[in-house]
Amino acid sequence: MASCYFLTSTLGIFLSLWISIINAEFYVIDDQIGLGRRFDGIGGLSGGGATSRLLVNYDEPYRGQILDYLFKPDFGASLQILKVEIGGDAQTTDGTEPSHMHYEGDENYFRGYEWWLMKEAKKRNPDITLIGLPWAFPRWVGKEQSSPYHNPDVTAGYVVSWVIGAKQYHNLNIDYVGIWNERKFDAEYIKILRRTLDKAGLTDVGIIAADGNWDISVAMALDPQLYGAIDIIGVHYPGTTTIPQALWTRKTLWSSEDYSTFNHNDVGGGCWARILNQNYVNGRMTSTISWNLVASYYEDLSFGRDGLMTAEEPWSGNYVVESPIWITAHTTQFAKPGWRYLETVGNLTHGGSYVSLTDGKGNLTVVIETMTHDHSICVRPPLPPYKVFPQNATFHLKGSFATVSELQLWYSKFDFANSKSTLFKKLQTVKVFDGFFTLSLGVDEVYTLTTITTGQKGHYTDPPNSSPFPKKYLDDFDVRNPSFDEAPNFADQTGVFEYFQNLTDPGAHVFTLRQIVTQRPIAWANDADQTISIVGDHSWRDLTVTCDVLIETVNTGGVFIAARVDKGGESVRKAMGVFFWVFANGTYRVTNDIDGKMVRAEGLSGTRAGKWYTLTLTVKGQYAYGMLDGYPLWKNAVILNPKNGWAAIGTYSFEYAQFDNFQVLAD
């Protein structure tokens, strides 16, 4: 009887299987008909700009936990590529990142936080690919011109010095460098950069070009030297498609910046799931890099919460592991760089896509996505309409996979109706019968089927609850040996503000914060004509800002403190607020704009360069008041707008100036 029952049961299983196959669309997974392109990994981009600014300010263990979710293999996103900005002292989206060479002859390979971030990533994943790309350049690189191509040998030397510094001071091997983010490329410069790298013994450092559109591939077809200089064609926001000329080059193709979508409503996760598959299916791009890595900047700056996860509250320790982390894991935990895509990849009959990858040693990973149009719209480019329907899909494993008997199954389901999404959940193993298995696919789902058994959904206890920026905040900048050059929570929007040891002052102002950029950089975004660093809570309305200031430029210099600053990032030139200025010519001014044209009060202050002063600015309702060294200087300036914004410090132009004993008291 037992044998009869087993036979009947087995026949029932096979009967159910064949019924499901008959009612399903059919797809073959086969490595015998040839392999596709090499899989190069999934990555994140820190920079473009200052997108990881607040991350370094987190206390442990939270900072380490965030880094684990990003980089630790088989834990979270398990990122395989880290791309960073080569700082150029200019505004590049959400702030400025400092250059390793502010001026000719200056070299400091400890400025900023990208060195630290690359080391932390490498500590967790020694095999991670590292990339550097400039967005902006110090003015001297262009020999006072507004283009880095004016003196290409100087620019190439500048970039190569960054690569050498990474190795010499941080033991970091940079794998690739880029040209000039999203700006017109110069073929002669690219060839000079290749020669300069080779001359420095950096023949293993590849060049990615041109981090914009596909035009570089057309130019490569006409210029054999240019073709030979470029290792990877990198394009931004390609909409999952490639032009024929790029394919004809037979070069490696990457979506070297993509995503850039709000992460908190799961549409960002849907966008990411769709393009991770379809960038290869439709465009044969073998790597996709997210802008940005982690949303670790003030949310009211440009593109708030556009990272793979969110870490914007170092003062509370709160962070949020968003859905793109787990969508990334669907690929990165089960396919490593060096694996190969199979030729058997494609679009599903009723919407969605699938890719299949192998390590060439018998392991197989299949990733399926069924994201609907409205739930996977990326910020760019526009997404043409399409439909996705529930469907049955039968897969036939052939070639070296014909003997596979079971596959691990990881599953995500976006629930936009009830906000109860399932993310990266391990389900029951899928049995493979005679090379066949069938799945019933819903919409807005992601599946990974794999022979790899090491995947896991890493987890830490919940971080502290979210809380606003402290209403009482002070910083005396008395840091003798700082780990980072930037003061915590200050976010430079034009210029660069660094810790400074003032050896000429034996008194109360030995350790200060100093603005050190004295020439307008070769810009990427629209820097202000003034320098400015913001801090605090964008919702602040009534507050008092106090700071000691030192003008260093005789006659023409000036500094300000500010409240209710409403804009930063790429809109910093249009920033409104309450700006209290004092100048080296003995005057003061109160303006409603950073450009200093909307004057609300002005007069004599007696201020001059080389002497410390204490400025106090109070804004309450529609009135503002100002004090100099504790004495009223002006009062009852009418401020109707803006109603709220950050506190800030800054200078009248690109000039040296120092700040000390900063304090905010907000109501």
Side-chain angles (χ1 to χ4, degrees):
M1 287 295 292
S3 299
C4 182
Y5 174 79
F6 175 77
L7 179 62
T8 303
S9 176
T10 303
L11 287 172
I13 291 172
F14 275 98
L15 181 61
S16 297
L17 173 65
W18 283 109
I19 290 174
S20 67
I21 291 174
I22 291 170
N23 293 322
E25 299 295 336
F26 192 78
Y27 308 94
V28 173
I29 305 293
D30 187 359
D31 60 350
Q32 296 302 303
I33 62 174
L35 298 177
R37 293 183 173 227
R38 180 188 189 275
F39 172 66
D40 294 313
I42 308 302
L45 201 170
S46 174
T51 53
S52 304
R53 174 65 193 92
L54 298 175
L55 176 60
V56 297
N57 303 146
Y58 272 81
D59 290 333
E60 296 294 350
Y62 311 115
R63 190 172 70 177
Q65 292 172 3
I66 295 164
L67 293 166
D68 284 350
Y69 279 117
L70 292 168
F71 299 116
K72 186 177 179 180
D74 299 322
F75 187 84
S78 306
L79 291 172
Q80 297 150 332
I81 299 172
L82 174 60
K83 181 177 180 178
V84 304
E85 176 178 348
I86 300 176
D89 293 341
Q91 171 63 245
T92 54
T93 301
D94 291 297
T96 66
E97 297 204 23
S99 170
H100 62 289
M101 298 178 72
H102 291 315
Y103 51 86
E104 192 168 7
D106 168 52
E107 291 188 69
N108 184 329
Y109 297 95
F110 295 91
R111 292 188 183 119
Y113 39 84
E114 304 295 6
W115 313 106
W116 164 83
L117 183 60
M118 287 189 284
K119 287 189 288 187
E120 291 295 323
K122 205 76 172 175
K123 184 190 303 180
R124 288 161 173 80
N125 178 6
D127 297 324
I128 197 166
T129 297
L130 299 178
I131 305 169
L133 173 66
W135 266 250
F137 300 84
R139 193 74 174 189
W140 69 267
V141 172
K143 295 296 183 182
E144 314 309 318
Q145 302 296 313
S146 59
S147 169
Y149 304 141
H150 185 72
N151 279 277
D153 291 284
V154 173
T155 304
Y158 169 82
V159 171
V160 170
S161 70
W162 184 87
V163 176
I164 293 171
K167 178 62 175 179
Q168 183 174 345
Y169 294 97
H170 302 284
N171 198 29
L172 292 168
N173 293 311
I174 303 300
D175 297 288
Y176 297 97
V177 292
I179 308 307
W180 188 12
N181 183 71
E182 294 177 352
R183 293 296 179 263
K184 187 176 181 179
F185 65 87
D186 183 281
E188 289 308 307
Y189 167 69
I190 294 173
K191 289 181 274 189
I192 289 171
L193 177 60
R194 179 69 270 163
R195 291 198 295 269
T196 308
L197 286 165
D198 293 346
K199 191 180 297 185
L202 299 170
T203 55
D204 291 338
V205 178
I207 292 178
I208 302 175
D211 282 294
N213 59 27
W214 291 109
D215 288 353
I216 189 72
S217 61
V218 178
M220 290 166 65
L222 303 174
D223 187 335
Q225 282 189 319
L226 179 64
Y227 180 92
I230 294 170
D231 297 272
I232 294 172
I233 298 175
V235 68
H236 289 191
Y237 307 97
T240 77
T241 61
T242 303
I243 67 171
Q245 291 91 332
L247 293 170
W248 294 340
T249 66
R250 298 186 179 273
K251 290 282 187 177
T252 298
L253 310 179
W254 284 9
S255 179
S256 53
E257 182 180 321
D258 217 325
Y259 175 63
S260 187
T261 302
F262 186 67
N263 65 25
H264 197 51
N265 60 7
D266 282 344
V267 172
C271 153
W272 190 232
R274 178 175 57 80
I275 65 177
L276 285 185
N277 262 23
Q278 295 190 23
N279 274 346
Y280 186 77
V281 170
N282 301 332
R284 292 303 187 263
M285 287 167 274
T286 56
S287 174
T288 299
I289 299 175
S290 166
W291 189 90
N292 52 66
L293 171 73
V294 53
S296 198
Y297 46 97
Y298 289 117
E299 189 169 335
D300 290 283
L301 290 168
S302 305
F303 301 100
R305 296 191 83 141
D306 272 18
L308 296 177
M309 63 181 292
T310 301
E312 59 186 17
E313 290 188 14
W315 49 87
S316 72
N318 179 262
Y319 62 85
V320 185
V321 183
E322 310 280 8
S323 60
I325 290 290
W326 303 118
I327 295 305
T328 310
H330 271 282
T331 299
T332 54
Q333 290 204 21
F334 309 107
K336 306 303 180 187
W339 282 43
R340 297 286 294 274
Y341 285 98
L342 302 183
E343 292 289 357
T344 48
V345 301
N347 293 298
L348 300 172
T349 303
H350 299 294
S353 65
Y354 70 99
V355 295
S356 48
L357 304 102
T358 183
D359 64 353
K361 302 175 183 178
N363 283 309
L364 171 69
T365 291
V366 180
V367 184
I368 304 166
E369 60 81 22
T370 60
M371 294 308 306
T372 56
H373 178 277
D374 291 352
H375 294 158
S376 66
I377 297 175
C378 303
V379 72
R380 70 192 81 158
L383 182 62
Y386 67 89
K387 298 288 186 182
V388 180
F389 301 96
Q391 56 196 298
N392 290 330
T394 293
F395 292 86
H396 185 192
L397 304 186
K398 300 178 71 175
S400 64
F401 312 122
T403 58
V404 171
S405 61
E406 64 178 25
L407 293 167
Q408 308 297 310
L409 175 59
W410 292 82
Y411 173 73
S412 291
K413 167 73 174 179
F414 290 103
D415 182 354
F416 291 92
N418 302 303
S419 298
K420 294 182 178 179
S421 296
T422 299
L423 294 173
F424 201 58
K425 182 178 181 180
K426 192 175 191 305
L427 300 184
Q428 186 174 353
T429 299
V430 172
K431 299 298 181 182
V432 181
F433 294 96
D434 198 25
F436 290 91
F437 68 91
T438 298
L439 298 173
S440 180
L441 306 176
V443 299
D444 296 328
E445 296 178 335
V446 182
Y447 296 78
T448 298
L449 298 107
T450 181
T451 57
I452 300 297
T453 59
T454 54
Q456 66 167 321
K457 187 173 184 178
H459 177 70
Y460 288 111
T461 56
D462 290 342
N465 292 331
S466 173
S467 65
F469 195 95
K471 291 185 175 182
K472 181 178 181 180
Y473 185 77
L474 57 90
D475 194 334
D476 60 13
F477 310 124
D478 288 350
V479 183
R480 185 173 297 274
N481 295 300
S483 300
F484 301 97
D485 285 339
E486 301 93 339
N489 303 319
F490 279 85
D492 303 345
Q493 300 301 303
T494 299
V496 173
F497 295 73
E498 296 180 350
Y499 284 127
F500 181 67
Q501 187 171 355
N502 191 351
L503 299 177
T504 63
D505 190 327
H509 302 291
V510 175
F511 297 102
T512 67
L513 193 68
R514 192 187 197 203
Q515 200 295 118
I516 46 74
V517 178
T518 59
Q519 288 182 304
R520 171 177 288 280
I522 298 172
W524 183 82
N526 290 319
D527 292 77
D529 294 323
Q530 305 75 23
T531 72
I532 178 172
S533 187
I534 61 171
V535 66
D537 192 325
H538 191 265
S539 68
W540 278 344
R541 297 171 61 89
D542 296 341
L543 66 156
T544 296
V545 181
T546 301
C547 190
D548 297 341
V549 299
L550 176 71
I551 305 168
E552 296 191 51
T553 303
V554 176
N555 297 327
T556 59
V559 299
F560 69 80
I561 62 173
R564 293 187 185 176
V565 177
D566 67 343
K567 295 181 184 69
E570 295 170 293
S571 302
V572 67
R573 288 184 68 87
K574 300 177 181 178
M576 303 285 289
V578 187
F579 295 84
F580 175 17
W581 309 78
V582 292
F583 299 96
N585 64 4
T587 64
Y588 76 89
R589 191 180 305 157
V590 182
T591 68
N592 216 167
D593 62 330
I594 192 173
D595 207 28
K597 295 178 179 177
M598 303 173 65
V599 180
R600 298 294 178 257
E602 60 184 335
L604 297 175
S605 61
T607 50
R608 58 182 174 82
K611 185 178 186 301
W612 282 95
Y613 300 95
T614 300
L615 302 185
T616 302
L617 168 64
T618 298
V619 184
K620 212 168 189 61
Q622 63 181 17
Y623 296 103
Y625 314 84
M627 294 194 296
L628 176 66
D629 289 340
Y631 293 95
L633 185 63
W634 53 274
K635 62 180 180 179
N636 294 332
V638 177
I639 307 295
L640 300 179
N641 285 296
K643 303 295 185 186
N644 55 275
W646 296 288
I649 57 176
T651 64
Y652 178 65
S653 64
F654 288 93
E655 60 184 277
Y656 291 124
Q658 295 180 53
F659 303 85
D660 204 359
N661 299 318
F662 177 87
Q663 180 173 300
V664 174
L665 292 174
D667 292 345

